Amino acid sequence: MEDEGKKNWGLGRVKQWLYAKGLEERSSGCVLCGSCYGHGPANPMEDVPGPKTKCPPYEFYRFQRFTPKSRWLMAQRVFHGLDSITPELKEVIYTCTNCLMCQELCGVRDDGYGPWDITVAMREEMTEKDGPLEAHRPLFEGIHQHDNPWSQPKSARGRWADGLSLRKLGHSSASTLLFAGCSADRPTGRAGATALAKLMQTAGEDFVVLGDAEKCCALYAYDLGFRREYERLKDENLAMIKNAGIHKVVVACGSCRRIWRQYAEELGPDIEVVHGAEYAAGLAETGRLKFRQTVRKKVTYHDSCHLGRGCGIYEAPRTILRTIPGVDVVEMARNRRWAWCCGGGGGVPEAYPELAQWNAEDRMREAKETGAEVVLTSSALCQRSFASCSADALPTQDLLEFVVQAL
Ligand code: SF4
Ligand code: SF4
């Protein structure tokens, strides 16, 4: 289906990558350096060597076709009509966990456009031509019919806030919005949303929630290539913000933060978007938040790909943890920019569960090596991944839930 609005989707975006404007000396895009998956130095343009392991599907399958570089080459061939979209090509494109490591590593572009974009662009093309993968159809239908990927009826949204005495937009107004995220009404996301509400109440923040009117931030729609659904949800979310006079959005989930970052760029300087970890770190800095409880725990923090590489937020979670008396923060070998993915993104758990499971277990193994008693995360998708780990896994807790116990 071709239309004017699609010119920058699918193969339209592949073209953007192939023929970069303003980069005459590198106009062919990928230079096949292998930095995005190889085991040598990460990137010749980097001062630091970077991680040994880079692309999760490549590390799992160990075939070149599962590298970001190969995804680019395949997209190029489809763009030029040399290959068609086959089930095999779909497998290669949809095994990307959307960890953004290749985006972080690839230094060939200086306009913010990287190899991960080409994967998403190919997903858009595939969805537009053939619809979603069968394994992703429930996610697609959930978004299309219920405005959330988990097919929760709209009437069941917002139940996470039951009993918390929060004010709902429509009945009340405020310039600050707590955006809970679709996982807030599921076991893996509820704790983060309720903890954020408690933090905001403790700080005396004047804020509202959306309750059953909250729609998905659109992360799944964007990352799985459901571009029409993404555009719809984006328009509806942006209209809600403008009509309600919201100037600050505080999100409970690191994955929502990545999409809200994109929205903030469109909304301009009048809107501020922060994750609960940034919010809490800001409160602690200004003295509005005091931790009275000592929490004698050794913890390790897992950087979610979307809050970390997706938004560049690495220090706020660590800052807030160090403010809590008694907490000992120990780092995993791969942390911050080089943090290893949990395998929970990109629709991989739904379509390639063995890859997602391996990824989560590998990250959990690394967490255990630190000697920590608990793994803290800042995204509901990471919580879900770690919840699937084997019985001897460390307990996992949402960062904000952990923080709130020290108030
Ligand atoms: S995508 Fe980037 S990092 Fe990967 S091979 Fe191409 S130029 Fe190198
Ligand atoms: S985003 Fe991550 S999983 Fe996807 S191609 Fe890049 S490095 Fe591989």
Side-chain angles (χ1 to χ4, degrees), residues 246-387:
I246 299 291
H247 292 288
K248 182 170 185 174
V249 181
V250 188
V251 298
C253 173
S255 299
C256 301
R257 173 70 168 81
R258 202 198 89 217
I259 289 294
W260 274 99
R261 177 193 184 185
Q262 291 178 199
Y263 294 166
E265 283 165 11
E266 294 208 18
L267 285 162
D270 285 346
I271 183 99
E272 182 189 7
V273 173
V274 293
H275 180 267
E278 299 168 274
Y279 177 80
L283 290 179
E285 256 172 44
T286 55
R288 283 172 72 196
L289 196 63
K290 296 221 179 337
F291 296 114
R292 297 190 168 81
Q293 308 296 327
T294 297
V295 184
R296 296 205 188 284
K297 276 249 162 89
K298 189 186 256 198
V299 305
T300 191
Y301 173 69
H302 165 73
D303 293 273
S304 97
C305 300
H306 295 158
L307 190 64
R309 285 182 287 274
C311 301
I313 297 164
Y314 301 110
E315 297 313 319
R318 293 170 169 87
T319 300
I320 195 74
L321 286 173
R322 289 203 185 91
T323 314
I324 302 173
V327 173
D328 181 11
V329 185
V330 285
E331 294 290 353
M332 287 185 250
R334 297 170 289 188
N335 61 67
R336 296 178 170 83
R337 287 178 71 198
W338 309 134
W340 191 234
C341 177
C342 72
V348 169
E350 289 79 10
Y352 304 100
E354 69 292 346
L355 164 58
Q357 186 71 30
W358 169 83
N359 215 159
E361 298 281 2
D362 194 49
R363 187 58 166 161
M364 183 53 74
R365 174 195 56 73
E366 189 173 8
K368 284 163 79 176
E369 283 172 4
T370 64
E373 298 163 81
V374 61
V375 186
L376 303 177
T377 73
S378 51
S379 165
L381 296 186
C382 306
Q383 285 274 56
R384 182 181 66 154
S385 296
F386 293 137

Side-chain angles (χ1 to χ4, degrees), residues 36 54-58 66-68 71 95-103 105 115-116 119:
C36 50
K54 292 155 189 159
C55 175
Y58 172 64
F66 292 101
T67 63
R71 291 184 178 92
T95 48
C96 164
T97 63
N98 283 15
C99 77
L100 302 169
M101 184 72 90
C102 56
Q103 198 89 343
L105 285 164
W116 169 73
T119 297

Side-chain angles (χ1 to χ4, degrees), residues 17 29-37 68-69 105-108 115:
W17 166 259
C30 175
V31 295
L32 313 180
C33 67
S35 295
C36 50
Y37 71 95
K69 179 186 83 172
L105 285 164
C106 180
V108 81

Side-chain angles (χ1 to χ4, degrees), residues 117-136:
D117 290 298
I118 211 163
T119 297
V120 175
M122 287 302 289
R123 290 177 175 194
E124 292 165 2
E125 189 68 21
M126 290 166 172
T127 304
E128 198 68 4
K129 285 219 158 69
D130 297 339
L133 287 188
E134 272 317 296
H136 291 162

Side-chain angles (χ1 to χ4, degrees), residues 194-208:
T194 53
L196 178 57
K198 182 152 188 210
L199 275 171
M200 294 174 76
Q201 285 173 321
T202 304
E205 187 80 52
D206 181 24
F207 70 100
V208 285

